Structure formats: C-alpha cells, structure tokens
Amino acid sequence: MNLRRMFLNLRIRLKLIIAFGSLLMLSVILVLVAINSIYSILELRNLGESLDKTNLRMSQADIYLQEFANEGYKDLGFLSNGSNDLTDGYTKEMDSVMNVLEGIRNKEVITSSGFTSELNRMEAEIVSFDEKFEQLVSLYKQRGFQDYGLEGQLRAAIHSVENSSFPYDKVQMLMLRRHEKDFFLRKDLKYLNKFNDQIEAFLATTVASEHEEGKQEVISAIENYKGKFNAIVELESEIGLNVHNGLVGQLNEHAEIISEKLQLLTTEIKQHNKLLINNTILLLVGLFLGQLLIGLVLVLFYSGILTKTIKEIKNAMVSLSQGEFPEELVIRSKDELGQTKVALNQLMERIKTAAGFANNLGQGNLKAKYDDRFNNDVLAKSIISMQEKLIEADAEQKIVNWTNEGLAKFNDILKNDTDQLGVLGDRIISQMVNYLNVNQGAIYINEGEGIRRIASYAYDKKKFIDQVISVGSGLIGQSVLEGESIYIKEVPEDYMKITSGLGEATASCILITPLKIRDEIVGVIELASFNLLEDYQIEFVERVSESIANIINGKKVAEQTQKLLQESRDKTAELISQEEELKQHNEEMLATREEMERQKKEMDNLIDELKGQLAQQYLEKGDLRKASEFTA
C-alpha cells in the first residue's frame, strides 16, 4: 500500500516516464534485433552471391582445363616452357576461387550457421581437383607432341627404322604405322593389341632374314619403337582415353561434385536465410506485440487515476495494437499529458512512416524517399542503410546482367560466318552503337601502311566514308601506336560532328578502343556520344574488342588467302596462254624455215642451171677460160 501510495503521489511526468520507459526499452530492443537480423540477412545474401561467383570461376577453370586437354597441350609454348595461356588462365581462376573461399571462411555467419564442415569438404574437393590438374599438366608434358616428349622420341624411333639400310618389310612397317595412327585417332586399346601383334610378327620376320648387315641395329630400333609406343599408350590411358576414364575422367567427376556442392551449399544458405527472415519477422512481431501489451496494461492501470486525456491515449494505443493507425490526438494542454500526446503522435507518425517505407521496399520500389523529418531516427537510419545496400546490390546485378546479355549478343554475331569483312563490320558496329545507346560508331582495320575505315553507323543508317589514316596520326593513329584505349570528355569542335534531324553538334565524349590480339593491333573501334559513358560500358567495349579482333584478324587472313589464291589462278591462266602463244609461234617459225630451205634449194638449182647454160654458150664460142669459171 505504501508503494502504491508513493507511486500515486508522483507527478504525472514521473508516472509517464516510468510507464513509457519500459516501452522505450522494448523499442530499443526491437531496433537492435532488427538491425542485427538485417545485418545477418545481408551477410547471408552476400555469402550466396560469393558462392555464385565461386561457381562461375570454377566453371571458367573447367573450360580452361577442357581446352587444354583437347588441344592446348599441343601449344609450342607449353611444350617448351611447361605453361601457356590456358594453364595460366586456369591458375588465375583457381587463385580467385581460393581467395573467395578464404574470404567466406572468415565470415562470422559461416561459423554461426554451421556451414564450416560443408565448406571444408568442398574446399578439399577443390584442392584435390587442383592437384589432379597439376598431375594432368605433368603427364601431358611427359607425353609431348610432334618433336617433344615421348611422341618426339617415338618419331625418332620410327625414323631410325625407316632410315635403316636393312631391307625390312615395308608393308609390315606401314601396317604398324596404320595401327599407331588409328590409336592416336580413336584412342581404342584394340589398336595397341594389333600393334603389338604386328610388331612381334615384324620382329620375327626381321630375325629370320638371311641379310645380316644392319640386322641388330634395326631389331634394336624396332624394339625401341615398340617400347616408346607402349609407353605413350600407357601414358594416354593414365591421362584418359575419353572424358569418362583416367585422370581426365576423375577431373570431370571432381568438377561435377564441386558444382553440386556449391549449388547445394548455395541452396542451404538461401533456405537458412529464408528461415532467418521468417524467425526475425516472428521475433519482431512478438516484441512489438509485447510492447503493445505492456502499454495496454499501463493504460488500464491508469484508467481509474488519470483524466480523460489518458483515456484518449489508451484508445489510441488500443487502435494501434489492432493494426490501425488512430487519428491524431488533440493537444489541449502543455503539461506532461499534453507532452505525452505530442510524443505519442510523433511515435505513431514515425511508425506509419517506417511501415510505409518498408512496404515500398518490399514491393520493389527501391527509390522510395524516407520522410525528411524522421530520417535521423535509429530505425530510419537502419532501414535507409538497408535500402542503400539493396540499391547498390541491384545496380551491380543490373550491370552484370547487362554485360552478360551484351556478350551473348556479340557472341551470336561473331559465331555467324560471313564472306566479306565489311558485312561483319556493319553488324558489329550497328550492334555496338545500339546496345551502348551512343550516337555514332566506326570500325577501322590496320593495313600496315595505314588504318582504313571498313564500317560506320549512325542513327540506324550506315555511313560509308572511304577514309585512310596513317599510324600515329590523330587519336585513331595514336590509339594504334600506343595500343591503349583513349577516352576524352572534352572533344574539339572540329574533331567530329554528330548529325541528326535537328542538325549537327559536337559529341560530348569519344571512346577509341584498339582491337588487339596480344601485342598486335588489328584495328580500332571509335564511338561518339552526346552522353558520357560509364566505366562499366568502357570495360565492356574493351572486353568485346578482343573477340572482335580475333574474328577480324581471321577474316583478313581468309580474304588475303582468297586474294592470293585468285592471283595464283590468274597467273596460271596467263602462263598457260603465253605457253600456247609460244608454241604456236614456234610452229610458225618452223614452217617459215622449211619454206626458206625449199626456196633456197630451188634457187640453187636455178643458179646451177644458169651456170650450165652460160658454160655451154662459152664452149660454143670457144672461150674455154670463161666456160671453166661456170663449171668449177
């Protein structure tokens, strides 16, 4: 009773402080729980995105592995140095995977959520995958290709047999080479058995030969040939005769297991995140309901003591507890109760503002603006911070989606084969201008003595201008000379005009990106726009430029080959024509020579006849001296 009397004797301000102190404490707890839950939810979401990136990196590493196992081990750089672009690319991707996993391991949410053991198992699979790749690289290094490794030794053994002076059975040798080629082509062990049976017969024939000179040398060479071939077959079997056995098969199995574990772990994290969201909602609702319940108890406790103002406050709280926002309380005084009404009105408005803002975020309206009057509240700051993180994540995802979509579109263009380089250039620059939403674009190719424009595009229409720029001249030539992109925002008025239906104006920015294959510049892309380009757009152009450079370089080589082939055909036709003319001329010369010999013979006969007649006349005259001159 004394305590009750003491409490009743307190001033209203102190009573309200005691009454609402508990409510404010619950509000603080509610805010702290909300902040902690939102942080955990965002951490789990970021963790899922990191695992998605890990899965993507693993997929890229697997692509490098497959390309290396198919043709990459034949690269001269790998055969000479033990590494090439594919092995370096694989190493880079795996380093990124391990860095991401290390970053994930350090996250507190991994330990608290019980995902450590699953992460350890997946990391062990990845380490095993990496070790087997190193074994695969070592085996391919031993195997070699052409003149390197075991295959080089095999070729040397073959040549020592073929170059031998011993008269071996060449038919049997050809059969051995056929079985050897069949195995390398089909990777079937039945050809190994055929080879061994055939070489045993070959050795037996050689041993039984009566020719002794060089016999032992060729027998040793044949046995060496057999040993090298069997060693390569054993090495190929260890590597894997197909994608399902050997070390390659193990790597493919590991890749599937890692992919499954990554997907499973990602799914579990998302489910855990969903469960955490549901539990957080239940907890927040429970705390909020508890807060309302305490408020209702206090209102009932004061109902017989306080005035009509308290009843108004009680009715407002009851309405709020029922999920409805009451009308704003009328302030009739400036005492503690009046101040309480003011505080209650503000509290309801803040909750209403927070609820409306949260509802907008829930519906996907990430650009909603929080009421400036309350944006300094703890709850408001937490929700606004969550909004900023959601906006940032959404923007990053949009950039990733935009980039992937653009790469897919350009891959579709570059996959389609066309006969002319100009046609391909039109399609590329048209797609580039429209996808980046710039105003103009052009593609140039480097022809050594100059840089020639092959295609241009502006406002959905092609603008062909026969333009050749020397290397080092202007921004285009400078980009080719330096091999780096040039991006300028202050464009000289006389550099480029963008023409439209409203007239022409100077571009706001120019992007010039070289089409580069390693250190070779095969061309340039030039883009002009009224709008400034974002960093991710410039990065996208630079990523696409390498693929475009490869395709354009291939087209140039094909066109040059076709041109040389046509020139060769024309030259051959010209030589054939000249040969025919020469042949005809020789025939005419031969006929002329025969005619001249015939005429000379007739002339000689005529002269002899005339000399005879003159000699006869001088004889008849008795002039023997003159007659002897014509008969000599």
Side-chain angles (χ1 to χ4, degrees), residues 157 161 199 203 218-229:
V161 175
I199 203 166
L203 280 170
V218 79
I219 290 174
S220 299
I222 293 171
E223 290 177 345
N224 184 36
Y225 176 33
K226 175 183 177 182
K228 296 303 180 183
F229 181 73

Side-chain angles (χ1 to χ4, degrees), residues 339-463:
Q339 294 174 3
T340 302
K341 286 185 176 182
V342 172
L344 185 56
N345 285 336
Q346 291 181 351
L347 177 61
M348 290 188 295
E349 191 169 0
R350 292 172 189 273
I351 294 175
K352 184 184 296 185
T353 301
F357 188 75
N359 185 50
N360 281 331
L361 294 182
Q363 294 177 356
N365 183 15
L366 300 181
K367 295 184 179 180
K369 183 173 177 58
Y370 206 91
D371 194 326
D372 293 336
R373 295 175 299 167
F374 310 125
N375 55 13
N376 290 325
D377 292 350
V378 176
L379 178 59
K381 289 180 179 179
S382 300
I383 298 177
I384 292 173
S385 176
M386 179 181 68
Q387 179 195 25
E388 292 173 351
K389 292 181 180 180
L390 290 174
I391 291 174
E392 181 179 353
D394 184 66
E396 291 178 355
Q397 188 61 42
K398 287 181 179 178
I399 291 175
V400 171
N401 294 339
W402 182 88
T403 301
N404 291 337
E405 181 182 355
L407 291 175
K409 288 183 177 181
F410 277 97
N411 283 336
D412 290 340
I413 291 176
L414 298 178
K415 286 178 182 178
N416 295 327
D417 191 16
T418 56
D419 294 331
Q420 296 182 354
L421 185 60
V423 175
L424 180 61
D426 287 338
R427 298 183 63 194
I428 291 173
I429 197 61
S430 173
Q431 182 67 42
M432 184 73 74
V433 169
N434 287 305
Y435 195 70
L436 293 177
N437 196 25
V438 298
N439 300 95
Q440 288 185 173
I443 292 183
Y444 299 81
I445 60 172
N446 186 5
E447 296 181 338
E449 67 278 2
I451 309 164
R452 180 172 61 88
R453 180 185 292 187
I454 63 168
S456 60
Y457 188 89
Y459 289 96
D460 296 328
K461 294 182 180 179
K462 296 187 296 181
K463 307 291 185 182

